[in-house]
Amino acid sequence: MSTRPLAGRRAQAARNDEVILEAARAVFLDDPKAPIAAVADRAGVGISALYRRYAGKEALLRQLCHDGLRRYIAVAEEALAEPDDWAAFAGFLSRVVDADVHSLTVHLAGTFTPTEEMGRDAVRAGELASTLVERAHASGRLRADVVVRDLGLVLEGCAAVRVPDAERTRQLRRRQLAVLLGGLSTTPDAGALPGPAPAAGEFDWRWRRRE
């Protein structure tokens, strides 16, 4: 008996799940209190299709944040393969900022009960970040008074930078990270900051009244 139809259904289910998670990310970043029905609407799926994958909103929030945590771990593991200790540290921060995992952390913290697996992964993430900080200290490029908990503040600060255009958001976050890395480094890069500087009025959109 051919397994192709089953494989096709599995592939479609995976695509549907990806669409749902992408929609959930957008919905809950905009409003963590939004109902799960808003996710189904944005994803273009029926609410029953969503509930077949997730028992409820908390399960969906948990999946989003755990995915972000796993991405953080993967980026840290990749960075540890870099032989240059400062490049490993700076590259790690850059890739985490680009992955935008901390936007979810800031918006969704306290909205669900983490699992034991998430707890273990959080410990692993902390260990990896500590190793990167230790290596950066050993290189002489990282200020001696910087501790691993400072990284969370750096990443949250970059995640707070947001404009309606995704590419412009990426540019501004990279620029902000370059400024912050200059403060963390014992020998700041004197080169030009990346990306166009913020323009006058670029953030005025925040004050427009939402209907």
Side-chain angles (χ1 to χ4, degrees), residues 47-69:
I47 192 69
S48 60
L50 194 153
Y51 276 119
R52 280 197 296 271
R53 292 167 173 79
Y54 301 98
K57 180 178 176 179
E58 182 166 340
L60 187 51
L61 295 175
R62 188 182 296 116
Q63 182 68 50
L64 285 171
C65 283
H66 202 175
D67 284 350
L69 180 56

Side-chain angles (χ1 to χ4, degrees), residues 43-154:
V45 301
I47 192 69
S48 60
L50 194 153
Y51 276 119
R52 280 197 296 271
R53 292 167 173 79
Y54 301 98
K57 180 178 176 179
E58 182 166 340
L60 187 51
L61 295 175
R62 188 182 296 116
Q63 182 68 50
L64 285 171
C65 283
H66 202 175
D67 284 350
L69 180 56
R70 292 187 182 110
R71 178 60 180 151
Y72 181 99
I73 290 171
V75 169
E77 290 175 339
E78 291 169 6
L80 287 172
E82 164 61 54
D84 184 299
D85 292 332
W86 176 256
F89 175 76
F92 161 70
L93 290 176
S94 179
R95 288 192 290 275
V96 171
V97 167
D98 281 348
D100 195 22
V101 299
H102 276 68
S103 289
L104 287 172
T105 300
V106 172
H107 282 73
L108 304 184
T111 61
F112 63 89
T113 301
T115 63
E116 290 184 5
E117 184 182 5
M118 290 183 73
R120 291 191 294 270
D121 282 347
V123 171
R124 173 63 174 158
E127 291 171 347
L128 292 168
S130 293
T131 300
L132 286 163
V133 168
E134 290 167 5
R135 284 180 51 179
H137 277 309
S139 75
R141 284 288 306 274
L142 183 63
R143 289 175 51 126
D145 53 354
V146 172
V147 297
V148 68
R149 273 83 61 191
D150 286 317
L151 301 193
L153 298 177
V154 169

